[in-house]
Amino acid sequence: MITLRHSGQSFSRTIAWCKHIFILFALVLLTSCATKPKQDYDVNYDFSVLKTFSQLRVEHTDDPLTADRINDGIKQALVNQGYVFKADNADFFVNYAFVTENKEKDSGLSIGLGSGTWGSNGGISLGTSIGIPLGSDTAKTQTIQIDIIDPADKRLIWRGNGQYHFDQGGEDKAKDINKTVATILAQFPPKK
């Protein structure tokens, strides 16, 4: 014989538990929106001699606002690290590239909820799953690549890249660009 018992207190605990699970899933989803930056570099290069930098300009772009934001972000991040901007005869050149892609994303978040009881005379289990739509089926992802070049022989000595997701331009996108650029350049110079 199966008995089903329901009390208001256990129902409210279940709802509270579900809220905690939902918050946990939301945090996981938010932290997955940004990727960890990556780097590669010439392992034989002496990065300690680098003190001044000059920036190379991207000549042709379909998105001059983003190009200017990345350029300004690079300059600010390197100055904050103690490097000095020098238009001519700098110790290293900085160049960058970026690409914007529409990437498919999940159309929603599914959460499974369950409740059950098991006793000495039998048991019962109830469960449900709900889908929560999160918006459009695509997300814009922008990947930024920053190159450090030795001016003597025009050789690439360091490369870093990172990406971020955005829905639209404006102030939020400008902040995300600066944050991504600073995070990429936080790896420069490489720690050997």
Side-chain angles (χ1 to χ4, degrees), residues 12-148:
S12 63
R13 274 192 245 154
T14 302
I15 295 296
W17 182 78
C18 292
K19 286 181 184 177
H20 292 304
I21 293 296
F22 181 74
I23 291 170
L24 177 67
F25 280 119
L27 289 173
V28 168
L29 182 66
L30 286 175
T31 58
S32 67
C33 288
T35 60
K36 188 173 182 177
K38 297 173 180 70
Q39 69 169 327
D40 195 9
Y41 56 92
D42 182 341
V43 296
N44 298 316
Y45 195 86
D46 181 10
F47 290 92
S48 66
V49 299
L50 303 178
K51 306 292 183 218
T52 61
F53 72 97
S54 180
Q55 292 178 274
L56 302 174
R57 298 284 300 173
V58 172
E59 296 294 325
H60 304 286
T61 180
D62 293 337
D63 189 352
L65 285 174
T66 297
D68 288 343
R69 289 172 179 158
I70 293 171
N71 198 51
D72 293 344
I74 289 171
K75 186 174 186 178
Q76 188 61 51
L78 289 173
V79 167
N80 289 347
Q81 290 180 6
Y83 295 101
V84 176
F85 177 77
K86 190 174 175 186
D88 296 319
N89 300 319
D91 297 333
F92 64 94
F93 294 144
V94 184
N95 196 15
Y96 66 92
F98 64 95
V99 63
T100 305
E101 302 172 287
N102 286 327
K103 291 195 173 183
E104 299 255 343
K105 68 178 182 179
D106 293 335
S107 61
L109 173 67
S110 294
I111 300 175
L113 306 175
S115 178
T117 179
W118 193 266
S120 60
N121 295 333
I124 188 168
S125 178
L126 302 171
T128 185
S129 178
I130 57 173
I132 302 171
L134 295 176
S136 69
D137 292 337
T138 60
K140 290 187 187 227
T141 301
Q142 192 159 77
T143 302
I144 300 173
Q145 175 181 295
I146 301 173
D147 293 338
I148 305 295

